[in-house]
Amino acid sequence: MQSLPESTWQDDIRPLERFSKLGSDLKVDVAIVGAGLAGLCTAYELSKTGLSVAVLNKTNIGDSATGYTTAFATYDIDTNLADLVAMYGKARAKMVWESGRTAIDWLEETLKHEEIEAEFMRCSLTVFAHSAKEARALDKEAKTAMAFGFPISIEQVPNLGFAQAGHFTLHHQAKCHATKVLFGLARTCAKRGVKIYEDTEVTKISGRSPLLETATGHSVQAKWVLVASYYPIGRQGVTAFKKARYESYVLEAKIPSGRIREGLYLDTSTPYHYFRVDRRGDHDRLILGGEDHRADIPVPAKNAFTVLHRYLDRLVGPGKHEFVRQWQGHMIEPSDGLPLIGLTKPNHLVATGFSGNGFTYAPITAMLCRSIIQGEKHPWQALYSPRRIPNLIQMAYKGRDYSKILLGGALKNLFKK
Ligand SMILES: Cc1cc2nc3c(=O)[nH]c(=O)nc-3n(C[C@H](O)[C@H](O)[C@H](O)COP(=O)(O)OP(=O)(O)OC[C@H]3O[C@@H](n4cnc5c(N)ncnc54)[C@H](O)[C@@H]3O)c2cc1C
């Protein structure tokens, strides 16, 4: 990902310090591969337990998926709640949203407690339809969420600032600044005794008491390992065939202040579009993403960005926005709609398949992995277990979604006016 254009989060802030590469052999209780959001949230959570922790990162911190995100923190995940109910039943579907709610609370409390200034802001997520048919599906989604007791409003706000055919609002979600969160967590972890190494690629992991070999020539002997490298390294083991890479495109623009209420927005197209609006003094910043497609299908990025620019024109009006930058990144989509977090085999943990919800799943990884390492049962363990076998209903639901975005909106929408 290093050669891709920089995102606003990477441009906006440079870390005050860098961490050195691994310069000698090391023995720790827990080794974490990857200093992205998942690795650092988990390192922070483990730093409360008295266990010794080392985080090994191939690149510089921030040059990873977390640096390319749009940094929504929401429990309205990429699989619809109504679909989750059909795929997993009511209790587990509700548990998915509840775990996400706990995750956002974890993020808020951690940033506050550690005095990490990362532009974290509670705000609402507005989910909107483009057609009457989409609005009917949205209504079902909103009623399911309301029946579960989540904070949803279905009253139609008269003017959202853009055209739409119906919407609901999910309250008490959040947004933040991706690299401020990352660098803040890294600094805090280091202060709490976590050893962090950049420019240290893990090349091999072997043994039940995991031995990690690195490209620096030094190794780490651990009791536990968490592979939080976004896409798991080495042999895929139990995660094989349960995830795939999708490309997503993002553009940033300035729009007139107050044109659209500050917050998070999501449409119900397949592939969906998502945008956030941030107050920025004399203008508002709009960051829009979408046009996802399978990464191994060579859709020209130019087409995807063309379609995204048109979407922005429709949203705020041609000439009513000023282009700032664009970037793209990979999402890892799980075959049954839920991430793969937990034990792959004794003492080996993994966290992957976060879709567009890493800010929710990274804290979930932290809480789950801490429980597993401490030998405690956790109510979310089976739900997110990488060893679960997707059933036919789950595969069929997600297969339907993924077939619609195989080639992405860029091909479908390019010829639409
Ligand atoms: C365009 C886009 C928009 C998104 N929008 C959102 C959003 O709005 N909200 C949301 O919640 N999520 C969003 N996501 C998803 C979210 O960004 C990711 O799920 C999350 O950042 C993943 O964090 P991570 O720690 O798993 O991975 P990463 O941030 O990629 O970190 C993995 C780390 O592992 C390291 N690594 C890799 N291999 C090795 C190795 N062999 N040895 C050592 N280290 C290694 C890498 O250097 C990297 O630093 C978006 C993603 C994209 C691409």
Side-chain angles (χ1 to χ4, degrees):
M1 285 205 166
Q2 259 169 314
S3 60
L4 294 171
E6 289 198 330
S7 73
T8 196
W9 322 117
Q10 292 163 326
D11 200 24
D12 223 18
I13 180 176
R14 287 284 146 215
L16 297 176
E17 79 258 42
R18 282 292 179 200
F19 297 92
S20 59
K21 43 167 99 170
L22 181 68
S24 59
D25 292 351
L26 203 64
K27 227 173 166 180
V28 287
D29 292 317
V30 187
I32 298 178
V33 184
L37 195 63
L40 289 175
C41 285
T42 309
Y44 173 75
E45 186 63 21
L46 290 174
S47 76
K48 300 174 191 167
T49 62
L51 294 167
S52 56
V53 181
V55 184
L56 309 160
N57 199 55
K58 180 176 166 181
T59 57
N60 283 330
I61 293 173
D63 291 338
S64 69
T66 308
Y68 291 94
T69 177
T70 41
F72 291 36
T74 175
Y75 50 81
D76 187 351
I77 58 158
D78 288 3
T79 303
N80 291 342
L81 186 58
D83 284 357
L84 281 177
V85 170
M87 292 158 74
Y88 290 94
K90 276 187 187 169
R92 280 186 293 168
K94 189 175 175 199
M95 192 188 279
V96 172
W97 274 40
E98 279 170 348
S99 64
R101 180 163 61 187
T102 309
I104 301 171
D105 291 345
W106 183 99
L107 189 62
E108 180 175 35
E109 281 156 24
T110 300
L111 297 176
K112 197 168 162 200
H113 186 256
E114 298 300 339
E115 297 178 352
I116 298 171
E117 176 22 55
E119 298 176 26
F120 181 94
M121 184 187 154
R122 286 286 183 175
C123 59
S124 58
L125 168 77
T126 302
V127 186
F128 63 94
H130 292 291
S131 66
K133 187 177 167 209
E134 282 182 15
R136 281 193 293 279
L138 205 60
D139 193 46
K140 186 176 168 199
E141 182 76 355
K143 285 184 177 145
T144 309
M146 282 168 102
F148 285 160
F150 292 105
I152 295 262
S153 309
I154 52 172
E155 296 77 43
Q156 299 300 291
V157 178
N159 182 10
L160 285 180
F162 56 91
Q164 39 80 41
H167 58 271
F168 69 75
T169 308
L170 176 60
H171 302 285
H172 212 50
Q173 307 302 293
K175 63 187 174 78
C176 55
H177 186 300
T179 52
K180 285 188 182 177
V181 172
L182 265 192
F183 298 139
L185 278 175
R187 221 169 290 144
T188 306
C189 283
K191 270 196 224 144
R192 296 174 67 95
V194 173
K195 294 183 162 61
I196 301 180
Y197 301 94
E198 289 181 297
D199 206 7
T200 301
E201 179 181 4
V202 175
T203 49
K204 192 174 171 197
I205 304 173
S206 56
R208 175 164 178 162
S209 278
L211 177 73
L212 286 76
E213 293 169 38
T214 75
T216 67
H218 297 287
S219 61
V220 179
Q221 179 66 67
K223 293 182 185 143
W224 289 83
V225 64
L226 165 66
V227 176
S229 53
Y230 199 45
Y231 201 87
I233 58 170
R235 287 177 53 199
Q236 298 300 295
V238 297
T239 69
F241 312 114
K242 291 183 183 168
K243 62 198 181 311
R245 286 190 177 91
Y246 283 72
E247 195 78 36
S248 192
Y249 300 86
V250 180
L251 65 84
E252 177 185 339
K254 290 179 182 178
I255 61 167
S257 298
R259 169 71 200 265
I260 301 173
R261 191 179 57 194
E262 182 161 29
L264 307 175
Y265 296 83
L266 185 66
D267 76 9
T268 52
S269 310
T270 316
Y272 64 85
H273 301 88
Y274 48 101
F275 65 92
R276 59 183 276 172
V277 176
D278 308 301
R279 296 271 171 273
R280 306 293 282 179
D282 65 345
H283 68 275
D284 287 351
R285 176 177 67 191
L286 188 145
I287 302 179
L288 165 69
E291 303 310 325
D292 301 12
H293 62 83
R294 251 192 99 109
D296 44 11
I297 300 207
V299 174
K302 187 166 67 67
N303 292 5
F305 283 121
T306 301
V307 177
L308 216 46
H309 278 272
R310 280 191 205 153
Y311 188 95
L312 182 62
D313 277 348
R314 280 200 302 277
L315 204 62
V316 290
K320 296 273 171 29
H321 53 84
E322 186 189 323
F323 172 73
V324 177
R325 80 185 91 220
Q326 58 196 30
W327 68 88
Q328 65 197 82
H330 284 167
M331 300 217 187
I332 314 287
E333 297 287 353
S335 57
D336 61 2
L338 293 182
L340 305 158
I341 306 170
L343 279 170
T344 51
K345 55 186 177 185
N347 300 51
H348 290 242
L349 299 148
V350 76
T352 188
F354 287 180
S355 310
N357 306 111
F359 276 79
T360 313
Y361 292 135
I364 287 176
T365 301
M367 290 181 265
L368 251 179
C369 290
R370 175 183 171 161
S371 286
I372 294 170
I373 289 171
Q374 293 195 307
E376 294 159 2
K377 280 214 154 50
H378 198 289
W380 309 333
Q381 201 167 326
L383 184 70
Y384 294 123
S385 170
R387 293 196 276 204
R388 68 184 186 267
I389 309 287
N391 69 31
L392 280 177
I393 297 174
Q394 293 156 2
M395 302 278 281
Y397 266 89
K398 287 315 287 181
R400 179 203 61 188
D401 286 354
Y402 293 145
S403 66
K404 285 189 197 158
I405 66 169
L406 189 67
L407 300 177
L411 285 188
K412 225 167 50 185
N413 298 335
L414 192 62
F415 304 102
K416 263 199 217 161
K417 274 285 155 200

